[in-house]
Amino acid sequence: MNIRFLPSSRLSGHATELLAVPVFETATEAGVPVLPDDLDASVLERVPEGDVRGRVGAKVLAHTGSDGGPRRLLLLGVGKAADLDAEGIRRYAGRAVRAAEELRVTELTLRVPAAVGIGADRAGQAAAEGALLAAWRFSELKSGEGIEGDSPAPLQVTDVTLAARDGDLPEIEMGGSAGAAIARGQNLARTLQARPGNVATPSHLAEEARRVAATLGLAVTVLGPEQLEAEGMRALLAVSRGSEEEPRLIVLEHRGGQEGDPPLVLVGKGLTFDSGGISIKPASGMEDMKYDMSAGAAVLGAMHAIAELSVAANVVGVVPSSENLLSGRAMKPGDIIRTR
């Protein structure tokens, strides 16, 4: 998804398929009006009087008939201004994306609400996070599609413009850019989690790590069985002994701090499928054991966001990845493993 930014003073002339506007339940002592006070009156002229409702979940859609400005106006209730926090803004942005999907439009503009308790940068970050998280879907393995990208993806929102009062726009842009990077990392983790065990194997996670490293300038090291044996990492090898899939130890490095500064190290288990081995798990719900690599996926997603944000620190992500299945070679309860 592309995230763009716009001063609200230009909204009346901004050609967009859908403009989402937050509506508060009541005006507050802090001076926050029910509707954004910098919204041009011409944008609201097609909204029937009395249709504006500010309670959370309220929604009003109006067609403006404009050729040079917003074609549709979506008023979304966000509750009381004094209660609005970052999570409320995320949910508001997510609802706007859902509405755009229902209308079969691929781009929308969000008027970022002014929240009493948080700054404009936090508001921009939350709006970007909410939009990108809501737009994510896992459909790559549905009929007619595939992870190779050889078929068109289903319709989804691809462009979101965050609009805010002119004076707040620099902070909105700073926070929105950070929020987009964080959400992209989260969505990477969600995609890796959702892939089934016959796709998201240890070698697949390693290839994804290499792709992230090449795209964002991270250092990457991947150890296979021979290197793991040389390092004495026989516990990781033992877990994989009953599987045809080879284990991998994946290391990503972000060198954003000073040389010699001790790194922050993130370690996430990447057990791509855990049948339980000899101590096999119950059949009911076994398919969900593909999620045993969720911590590893979270580390890869975090390293993606850290690199995109150019975090000023040295950070290392470590993902020991294996598959635990049952065979005549599988380790047994009570086995003694000599390991590093």
Short mmCIF file of all heavy atoms in Angstrom, two decimals, residues 142-186:
data_model
loop_
_atom_site.label_atom_id
_atom_site.label_comp_id
_atom_site.label_asym_id
_atom_site.label_seq_id
_atom_site.Cartn_x
_atom_site.Cartn_y
_atom_site.Cartn_z
N LYS A 142 -5.52 -19.22 -2.85
CA LYS A 142 -6.88 -19.50 -3.33
C LYS A 142 -6.85 -19.86 -4.81
O LYS A 142 -5.90 -19.54 -5.52
CB LYS A 142 -7.77 -18.28 -3.10
CG LYS A 142 -8.12 -18.06 -1.63
CD LYS A 142 -9.12 -16.93 -1.47
CE LYS A 142 -9.53 -16.78 -0.02
NZ LYS A 142 -10.50 -15.68 0.17
N SER A 143 -7.90 -20.51 -5.28
CA SER A 143 -7.95 -20.96 -6.66
C SER A 143 -7.69 -19.81 -7.62
O SER A 143 -8.26 -18.73 -7.50
CB SER A 143 -9.33 -21.56 -6.94
OG SER A 143 -9.42 -21.98 -8.28
N GLY A 144 -6.78 -20.06 -8.58
CA GLY A 144 -6.47 -19.04 -9.57
C GLY A 144 -5.38 -18.08 -9.15
O GLY A 144 -5.02 -17.18 -9.89
N GLU A 145 -4.85 -18.27 -7.94
CA GLU A 145 -3.78 -17.40 -7.47
C GLU A 145 -2.62 -18.28 -7.01
O GLU A 145 -2.71 -19.49 -6.98
CB GLU A 145 -4.28 -16.52 -6.31
CG GLU A 145 -5.41 -15.60 -6.73
CD GLU A 145 -6.12 -15.00 -5.53
OE1 GLU A 145 -5.48 -14.86 -4.49
OE2 GLU A 145 -7.31 -14.69 -5.66
N GLY A 146 -1.52 -17.65 -6.65
CA GLY A 146 -0.38 -18.44 -6.19
C GLY A 146 0.70 -17.54 -5.67
O GLY A 146 0.74 -16.35 -5.97
N ILE A 147 1.61 -18.10 -4.88
CA ILE A 147 2.65 -17.28 -4.26
C ILE A 147 3.66 -16.79 -5.28
O ILE A 147 4.46 -15.91 -4.99
CB ILE A 147 3.38 -18.04 -3.12
CG1 ILE A 147 4.09 -19.29 -3.67
CG2 ILE A 147 2.44 -18.40 -2.02
CD1 ILE A 147 4.96 -19.96 -2.64
N GLU A 148 3.63 -17.33 -6.50
CA GLU A 148 4.55 -16.84 -7.53
C GLU A 148 4.04 -15.55 -8.17
O GLU A 148 4.72 -14.95 -8.99
CB GLU A 148 4.75 -17.91 -8.61
CG GLU A 148 5.30 -19.22 -8.09
CD GLU A 148 6.63 -19.05 -7.39
OE1 GLU A 148 7.42 -18.20 -7.83
OE2 GLU A 148 6.87 -19.77 -6.40
N GLY A 149 2.82 -15.14 -7.82
CA GLY A 149 2.29 -13.89 -8.36
C GLY A 149 1.91 -14.00 -9.82
O GLY A 149 1.96 -13.01 -10.57
N ASP A 150 1.50 -15.20 -10.28
CA ASP A 150 1.20 -15.40 -11.70
C ASP A 150 -0.26 -15.09 -12.04
O ASP A 150 -0.66 -15.23 -13.18
CB ASP A 150 1.53 -16.84 -12.11
CG ASP A 150 0.84 -17.88 -11.22
OD1 ASP A 150 0.15 -17.47 -10.28
OD2 ASP A 150 1.00 -19.08 -11.48
N SER A 151 -1.05 -14.67 -11.07
CA SER A 151 -2.45 -14.34 -11.31
C SER A 151 -2.78 -13.03 -10.62
O SER A 151 -2.15 -12.68 -9.62
CB SER A 151 -3.37 -15.45 -10.79
OG SER A 151 -3.06 -16.67 -11.40
N PRO A 152 -3.77 -12.31 -11.13
CA PRO A 152 -4.12 -11.03 -10.50
C PRO A 152 -4.68 -11.24 -9.10
O PRO A 152 -5.44 -12.18 -8.85
CB PRO A 152 -5.19 -10.46 -11.44
CG PRO A 152 -5.74 -11.64 -12.18
CD PRO A 152 -4.59 -12.59 -12.31
N ALA A 153 -4.27 -10.38 -8.18
CA ALA A 153 -4.77 -10.45 -6.81
C ALA A 153 -6.19 -9.88 -6.75
O ALA A 153 -6.59 -9.09 -7.61
CB ALA A 153 -3.84 -9.66 -5.89
N PRO A 154 -6.99 -10.28 -5.75
CA PRO A 154 -8.32 -9.70 -5.62
C PRO A 154 -8.22 -8.22 -5.29
O PRO A 154 -7.19 -7.73 -4.85
CB PRO A 154 -8.92 -10.48 -4.44
CG PRO A 154 -7.75 -10.99 -3.69
CD PRO A 154 -6.68 -11.24 -4.70
N LEU A 155 -9.32 -7.51 -5.52
CA LEU A 155 -9.32 -6.06 -5.28
C LEU A 155 -9.00 -5.76 -3.83
O LEU A 155 -9.54 -6.36 -2.92
CB LEU A 155 -10.69 -5.48 -5.65
CG LEU A 155 -10.80 -3.96 -5.49
CD1 LEU A 155 -11.58 -3.36 -6.63
CD2 LEU A 155 -11.43 -3.58 -4.15
N GLN A 156 -8.11 -4.82 -3.62
CA GLN A 156 -7.84 -4.32 -2.29
C GLN A 156 -7.38 -2.88 -2.39
O GLN A 156 -6.98 -2.40 -3.45
CB GLN A 156 -6.80 -5.18 -1.56
CG GLN A 156 -5.43 -5.19 -2.19
CD GLN A 156 -4.48 -6.14 -1.47
OE1 GLN A 156 -3.89 -7.01 -2.10
NE2 GLN A 156 -4.35 -5.99 -0.18
N VAL A 157 -7.45 -2.19 -1.28
CA VAL A 157 -7.05 -0.78 -1.25
C VAL A 157 -5.53 -0.71 -1.37
O VAL A 157 -4.80 -1.32 -0.59
CB VAL A 157 -7.53 -0.10 0.05
CG1 VAL A 157 -7.03 1.33 0.13
CG2 VAL A 157 -9.06 -0.14 0.12
N THR A 158 -5.06 0.05 -2.34
CA THR A 158 -3.62 0.13 -2.61
C THR A 158 -3.05 1.52 -2.33
O THR A 158 -1.82 1.67 -2.26
CB THR A 158 -3.32 -0.23 -4.07
OG1 THR A 158 -4.05 0.65 -4.94
CG2 THR A 158 -3.71 -1.67 -4.36
N ASP A 159 -3.90 2.54 -2.22
CA ASP A 159 -3.42 3.91 -2.01
C ASP A 159 -4.27 4.60 -0.95
O ASP A 159 -5.50 4.64 -1.06
CB ASP A 159 -3.49 4.71 -3.31
CG ASP A 159 -2.54 4.19 -4.37
OD1 ASP A 159 -1.38 4.65 -4.38
OD2 ASP A 159 -2.94 3.32 -5.16
N VAL A 160 -3.60 5.13 0.07
CA VAL A 160 -4.27 5.88 1.12
C VAL A 160 -3.55 7.22 1.31
O VAL A 160 -2.33 7.26 1.42
CB VAL A 160 -4.29 5.11 2.46
CG1 VAL A 160 -4.79 5.99 3.60
CG2 VAL A 160 -5.17 3.87 2.34
N THR A 161 -4.34 8.30 1.31
CA THR A 161 -3.79 9.63 1.57
C THR A 161 -4.24 10.07 2.95
O THR A 161 -5.45 10.04 3.25
CB THR A 161 -4.28 10.64 0.52
OG1 THR A 161 -3.83 10.23 -0.77
CG2 THR A 161 -3.74 12.03 0.81
N LEU A 162 -3.30 10.44 3.80
CA LEU A 162 -3.62 10.95 5.13
C LEU A 162 -3.66 12.48 5.07
O LEU A 162 -2.67 13.11 4.69
CB LEU A 162 -2.58 10.50 6.16
CG LEU A 162 -2.39 8.99 6.33
CD1 LEU A 162 -1.38 8.71 7.45
CD2 LEU A 162 -3.71 8.29 6.61
N ALA A 163 -4.81 13.05 5.40
CA ALA A 163 -4.99 14.50 5.36
C ALA A 163 -5.10 15.04 6.79
O ALA A 163 -5.74 14.43 7.65
CB ALA A 163 -6.24 14.87 4.56
N ALA A 164 -4.47 16.17 7.03
CA ALA A 164 -4.51 16.79 8.36
C ALA A 164 -4.32 18.29 8.20
O ALA A 164 -3.88 18.77 7.14
CB ALA A 164 -3.42 16.21 9.26
N ARG A 165 -4.67 19.03 9.28
CA ARG A 165 -4.50 20.48 9.20
C ARG A 165 -3.05 20.81 8.87
O ARG A 165 -2.11 20.10 9.26
CB ARG A 165 -4.96 21.14 10.49
CG ARG A 165 -4.15 20.79 11.71
CD ARG A 165 -4.61 21.56 12.94
NE ARG A 165 -5.93 21.15 13.39
CZ ARG A 165 -7.01 21.93 13.33
NH1 ARG A 165 -6.94 23.15 12.85
NH2 ARG A 165 -8.17 21.48 13.77
N ASP A 166 -2.88 21.88 8.14
CA ASP A 166 -1.59 22.22 7.56
C ASP A 166 -0.47 22.25 8.60
O ASP A 166 0.63 21.74 8.36
CB ASP A 166 -1.67 23.57 6.83
CG ASP A 166 -2.65 23.54 5.67
OD1 ASP A 166 -3.67 22.83 5.77
OD2 ASP A 166 -2.42 24.23 4.67
N GLY A 167 -0.74 22.81 9.77
CA GLY A 167 0.29 22.93 10.80
C GLY A 167 0.71 21.61 11.39
O GLY A 167 1.84 21.47 11.89
N ASP A 168 -0.18 20.61 11.34
CA ASP A 168 0.13 19.29 11.91
C ASP A 168 0.78 18.35 10.90
O ASP A 168 1.27 17.27 11.27
CB ASP A 168 -1.15 18.61 12.43
CG ASP A 168 -1.70 19.28 13.67
OD1 ASP A 168 -0.93 19.99 14.34
OD2 ASP A 168 -2.90 19.09 13.96
N LEU A 169 0.77 18.73 9.62
CA LEU A 169 1.16 17.79 8.58
C LEU A 169 2.58 17.25 8.72
O LEU A 169 2.80 16.05 8.51
CB LEU A 169 0.96 18.41 7.20
CG LEU A 169 0.91 17.40 6.05
CD1 LEU A 169 -0.27 16.45 6.21
CD2 LEU A 169 0.84 18.10 4.70
N PRO A 170 3.59 18.07 9.09
CA PRO A 170 4.93 17.50 9.24
C PRO A 170 4.98 16.35 10.25
O PRO A 170 5.62 15.32 10.01
CB PRO A 170 5.78 18.69 9.68
CG PRO A 170 5.07 19.89 9.13
CD PRO A 170 3.62 19.54 9.25
N GLU A 171 4.29 16.51 11.39
CA GLU A 171 4.27 15.44 12.40
C GLU A 171 3.45 14.24 11.92
O GLU A 171 3.80 13.09 12.18
CB GLU A 171 3.72 15.97 13.72
CG GLU A 171 4.65 16.91 14.45
CD GLU A 171 4.10 17.26 15.82
OE1 GLU A 171 4.24 16.42 16.73
OE2 GLU A 171 3.53 18.35 15.96
N ILE A 172 2.34 14.51 11.23
CA ILE A 172 1.53 13.43 10.68
C ILE A 172 2.35 12.62 9.69
O ILE A 172 2.31 11.37 9.68
CB ILE A 172 0.27 14.00 9.99
CG1 ILE A 172 -0.68 14.63 11.00
CG2 ILE A 172 -0.44 12.91 9.18
CD1 ILE A 172 -1.39 13.66 11.90
N GLU A 173 3.12 13.30 8.85
CA GLU A 173 3.93 12.61 7.86
C GLU A 173 5.02 11.77 8.52
O GLU A 173 5.27 10.63 8.12
CB GLU A 173 4.55 13.62 6.90
CG GLU A 173 5.26 12.98 5.73
CD GLU A 173 5.57 13.97 4.63
OE1 GLU A 173 5.10 15.12 4.70
OE2 GLU A 173 6.28 13.58 3.68
N MET A 174 5.66 12.32 9.55
CA MET A 174 6.70 11.57 10.27
C MET A 174 6.10 10.33 10.93
O MET A 174 6.63 9.21 10.79
CB MET A 174 7.36 12.46 11.32
CG MET A 174 8.44 11.76 12.13
SD MET A 174 9.25 12.88 13.30
CE MET A 174 7.86 13.24 14.42
N GLY A 175 4.99 10.50 11.65
CA GLY A 175 4.37 9.37 12.31
C GLY A 175 3.77 8.38 11.33
O GLY A 175 3.86 7.16 11.53
N GLY A 176 3.16 8.89 10.25
CA GLY A 176 2.56 8.00 9.27
C GLY A 176 3.57 7.14 8.56
O GLY A 176 3.33 5.96 8.29
N SER A 177 4.74 7.70 8.26
CA SER A 177 5.79 6.92 7.62
C SER A 177 6.28 5.81 8.54
O SER A 177 6.51 4.67 8.12
CB SER A 177 6.96 7.83 7.23
OG SER A 177 6.54 8.79 6.27
N ALA A 178 6.42 6.12 9.84
CA ALA A 178 6.82 5.10 10.81
C ALA A 178 5.74 4.03 10.95
O ALA A 178 6.05 2.82 10.98
CB ALA A 178 7.11 5.75 12.16
N GLY A 179 4.48 4.45 11.03
CA GLY A 179 3.40 3.49 11.16
C GLY A 179 3.30 2.56 9.98
O GLY A 179 3.03 1.36 10.14
N ALA A 180 3.54 3.08 8.78
CA ALA A 180 3.50 2.23 7.58
C ALA A 180 4.61 1.19 7.63
O ALA A 180 4.39 0.02 7.28
CB ALA A 180 3.63 3.10 6.33
N ALA A 181 5.81 1.58 8.07
CA ALA A 181 6.92 0.62 8.16
C ALA A 181 6.62 -0.46 9.19
O ALA A 181 6.89 -1.65 8.96
CB ALA A 181 8.20 1.36 8.52
N ILE A 182 6.07 -0.06 10.33
CA ILE A 182 5.74 -1.03 11.37
C ILE A 182 4.68 -2.01 10.88
O ILE A 182 4.79 -3.23 11.07
CB ILE A 182 5.25 -0.29 12.64
CG1 ILE A 182 6.43 0.48 13.27
CG2 ILE A 182 4.64 -1.27 13.65
CD1 ILE A 182 6.00 1.47 14.33
N ALA A 183 3.65 -1.49 10.21
CA ALA A 183 2.58 -2.36 9.72
C ALA A 183 3.06 -3.29 8.62
O ALA A 183 2.62 -4.44 8.52
CB ALA A 183 1.41 -1.50 9.22
N ARG A 184 3.98 -2.82 7.77
CA ARG A 184 4.52 -3.72 6.74
C ARG A 184 5.27 -4.88 7.38
O ARG A 184 5.20 -6.02 6.90
CB ARG A 184 5.42 -2.93 5.78
CG ARG A 184 4.65 -2.20 4.68
CD ARG A 184 5.57 -1.65 3.61
NE ARG A 184 6.25 -0.44 4.05
CZ ARG A 184 5.80 0.80 3.84
NH1 ARG A 184 4.65 0.98 3.22
NH2 ARG A 184 6.49 1.84 4.24
N GLY A 185 6.00 -4.61 8.47
CA GLY A 185 6.66 -5.69 9.19
C GLY A 185 5.67 -6.66 9.79
O GLY A 185 5.85 -7.89 9.72
N GLN A 186 4.60 -6.12 10.37
CA GLN A 186 3.56 -6.99 10.93
C GLN A 186 2.91 -7.85 9.85
O GLN A 186 2.66 -9.04 10.05
CB GLN A 186 2.49 -6.13 11.62
CG GLN A 186 2.95 -5.51 12.93
CD GLN A 186 1.86 -4.65 13.52
OE1 GLN A 186 1.71 -3.48 13.16
NE2 GLN A 186 1.09 -5.21 14.43
#
